[in-house]
Amino acid sequence: MTTPAATPTRRYFEDVEIGEEIPQLVKAPVKHLQLVRYAGASGDFNPLHTDPKVGEEIGTGGIIAHGMLIMGFVGQMLSDYVGPQPLRKFGVRFKGMTHLDDVITCTGTVTDKYEEDGKGYIAGKVQAKDQNGDLKVSGTFTAHLPHRNA
């Protein structure tokens, strides 16, 4: 159920406006197998992310997704929007736990546009929420975009 990845297109500094909404990314419901695979890929084998008994014992209501996985979803949205090379800064704060079957929607907005040393930059805010509107991560980004006539 993941929304289709945006076709990578070259985005130019002149074409982006402050207040522009970044096309949202909606991910398929989080599944146990996905978390096990992510544990293997990331090296984060904390049983809180893979063993339902551990989550129940410590009061999280079962396993929870890796925060960095949710950050990765937001990174995917940004990469779909500007491409991986233009991204210069990207950071988030973790705000809530993501559980199995949560559907994560990533959104963002361009909040600034400026030039520095002849280069064009955009900056913005991003976030990820679940199907109930509960905030999972919020953050910021900066990207360098080429000028159209460069």
Side-chain angles (χ1 to χ4, degrees):
M1 156 157 168
T2 299
T3 54
T7 303
T9 58
R10 185 158 193 141
R11 191 165 308 279
Y12 293 98
F13 178 73
E14 292 81 4
D15 299 333
V16 176
E17 299 296 329
I18 294 174
E20 182 173 319
E21 297 291 321
I22 297 169
Q24 73 177 15
L25 175 67
V26 179
K27 298 298 288 184
V30 173
K31 296 298 181 191
H32 186 234
L33 180 58
Q34 178 182 29
L35 300 182
V36 171
R37 287 179 173 163
Y38 187 81
S42 68
D44 181 351
F45 294 102
N46 184 327
L48 179 58
H49 303 303
T50 57
D51 185 346
K53 292 178 188 172
V54 172
E56 291 169 14
E57 288 172 3
I58 64 171
T60 61
I63 61 176
I64 61 171
H66 303 76
M68 293 300 289
L69 174 64
I70 308 309
M71 181 181 182
F73 293 165
V74 176
Q76 179 185 357
M77 176 194 68
L78 287 172
S79 183
D80 288 349
Y81 181 64
V82 297
Q85 289 80 20
L87 201 57
R88 295 295 182 259
K89 293 182 183 177
F90 170 44
V92 301
R93 290 190 177 266
F94 301 101
K95 301 290 190 170
M97 294 180 284
T98 301
H99 294 90
L100 291 180
D101 296 320
D102 280 351
V103 174
I104 302 299
T105 300
C106 305
T107 58
T109 305
V110 176
T111 59
D112 196 12
K113 180 178 174 178
Y114 60 94
E115 291 193 54
E116 190 174 284
D117 297 325
K119 296 180 181 179
Y121 293 88
I122 62 169
K125 294 183 179 180
V126 292
Q127 63 182 12
K129 293 183 177 182
D130 69 12
Q131 69 280 359
N132 300 315
D134 295 331
L135 186 62
K136 303 303 176 179
V137 300
S138 65
T140 59
F141 75 93
T142 302
H144 165 253
L145 297 180
H147 286 284
R148 184 170 291 285
N149 297 322

